[in-house]
Amino acid sequence: MKRTLFPAVLAASSLGLIAAGPAAAPAENLALGKNVSASTVESERLRAKNAVDGKTNTRWQAKYYDNQWFTVDLGKPCAVGRVVLIWGSSAAKEFKIELSNDNKTWKEAFARKDGKLEMGKESFTFAPQEARYVRMNGRTRVGRAGFSIVEFEIYEK
């Protein structure tokens, strides 16, 4: 059987507009649906698991205090090199992203001391490290409400 290519396909191919091979897979959010824990929860409606449910209309919110944390248990050690936080009504002015393999001994992967963002998305990239647990350790809040995270995403890079 003889193949016939249409002129538009030939032109696109010769211009390099048709990619050869499979497209790169999107990065996997390692935190999606994983077990989580938090220092406090403002209410049942604002529970910790909301921050890893993949939805932007739910969130975790801590009580109205500084020095609060939110931890994701990845279930097994994974290479971790990027964390994306979608802040809700109150972001962290000063906080650390910390990594652990035993949920007891923590290593700082990223630190911020001058946050000004009230709401929105921030991405923090660092040298990939093996960790089972990833924590946002909030020291001080930007606003008066408790720390609030709409989504806590974790990626290899």
Side-chain angles (χ1 to χ4, degrees):
M1 176 191 276
K2 184 177 177 184
R3 286 186 164 176
T4 304
L5 294 175
F6 294 98
V9 173
L10 280 173
S13 178
S14 66
L15 293 173
L17 299 176
I18 296 178
E28 177 187 2
N29 175 5
L30 302 171
L32 189 61
K34 294 297 193 283
N35 290 326
V36 295
S37 57
S39 52
T40 64
V41 176
E42 177 59 30
S43 71
E44 177 58 25
R45 188 177 61 84
L46 302 171
R47 60 188 176 258
K49 71 179 185 176
N50 290 348
V52 293
D53 65 4
K55 301 175 186 174
T56 57
N57 63 342
T58 62
R59 64 188 163 95
W60 162 72
Q61 185 163 321
K63 293 194 176 195
Y64 301 148
Y65 309 113
D66 288 334
N67 300 312
Q68 303 286 316
W69 52 263
F70 179 91
T71 302
V72 177
D73 177 357
L74 298 174
K76 64 181 181 181
C78 299
V80 175
R82 181 167 60 107
V83 170
V84 176
L85 293 177
I86 302 176
W87 296 105
S89 58
S90 183
K93 179 175 182 175
E94 182 180 348
F95 69 98
K96 296 177 183 179
I97 299 297
E98 299 173 320
L99 308 175
S100 175
N101 278 311
D102 61 7
N103 204 20
K104 295 175 185 165
T105 305
W106 294 92
K107 181 178 179 183
E108 181 182 298
F110 177 86
R112 155 100 22 101
K113 294 187 182 202
D114 61 350
K116 297 173 180 72
L117 186 69
E118 283 285 338
M119 296 174 71
K121 186 175 188 176
E122 291 189 288
S123 182
F124 312 101
T125 305
F126 42 89
Q129 301 167 53
E130 186 175 285
R132 175 177 171 170
Y133 301 90
V134 181
R135 172 169 80 177
M136 186 287 297
N137 191 354
R139 308 317 297 156
T140 58
R141 299 161 288 145
V142 172
R144 291 183 16 205
F147 296 102
S148 178
I149 299 175
V150 173
E151 280 299 305
F152 190 110
E153 301 173 1
I154 302 168
Y155 299 93
E156 184 176 337
K157 45 185 163 175

